[in-house]
Amino acid sequence: MHDKNAPQSPRLAQAGTSPKAGSSLRGLPRLGIWLALLAGTAGLHAQPAPPTTPRQQELVRMVRQDCGSCHGLRLTGGLGPALTREALADKPFESIVATIYYGRPGTPMAPWKAMLSETDARWIAQQLFAGFPESVKDRP
């Protein structure tokens, strides 16, 4: 039992709670904020699963045909700049992902977000930085 004559902090006395009850509840708002922040940032570091092999095959065809119509069938340049590993070496990865997904306003580079997910755009950028494959073979 709580002794009513025991000194209480002014804050607890105003709240009308005992020090024992107040001390166990006092950290809850702060704990809730930390939990919310942790939950909100947990997804920032998670890597999405790569596209399935059939989707990768579709993406390779799309890049070779659709992107190749401006960037050259071998991605060595044309109306658009070269997309070879060497040409992209000094470019920020996230910038390339954003360019694929959102396009570049004021240029012929259209946004592809109507046909690609952000995961698709990220996978394409990874392949471009690695040296874009001729094709993706079925894997066991």
Side-chain angles (χ1 to χ4, degrees):
M1 280 292 206
H2 174 64
D3 181 6
K4 291 184 181 187
N5 295 326
Q8 295 183 3
S9 71
R11 183 174 166 200
L12 293 174
Q14 288 174 349
T17 60
S18 69
K20 185 176 181 181
S23 63
S24 66
L25 296 176
R26 194 177 354 204
L28 284 180
R30 194 171 298 136
L31 177 63
I33 291 169
W34 279 107
L35 289 174
L37 287 172
L38 286 173
T41 60
L44 294 178
H45 301 291
Q47 291 293 330
T52 63
T53 300
R55 180 62 176 159
Q56 289 176 17
Q57 291 171 336
E58 292 170 3
L59 294 173
V60 168
R61 276 191 299 278
M62 179 185 291
V63 169
R64 289 284 174 205
Q65 293 173 10
D66 296 327
C67 301
S69 66
C70 288
H71 294 279
L73 295 177
R74 310 268 320 139
L75 304 178
T76 55
L79 173 63
L83 299 178
T84 61
R85 175 179 32 210
E86 298 78 20
L88 297 176
D90 64 338
K91 307 286 190 269
F93 177 78
E94 293 300 328
S95 176
I96 300 302
V97 173
T99 297
I100 294 167
Y101 195 69
Y102 296 107
R104 288 223 171 152
T107 73
M109 180 64 193
W112 287 87
K113 63 184 179 179
M115 298 175 69
L116 300 172
S117 69
E118 286 186 62
T119 300
D120 291 341
R122 182 168 297 281
W123 184 86
I124 290 169
Q126 288 169 340
Q127 301 311 304
L128 290 171
F129 274 88
F132 204 79
E134 289 299 319
S135 64
V136 176
K137 306 262 188 261
D138 288 328
R139 295 182 202 144

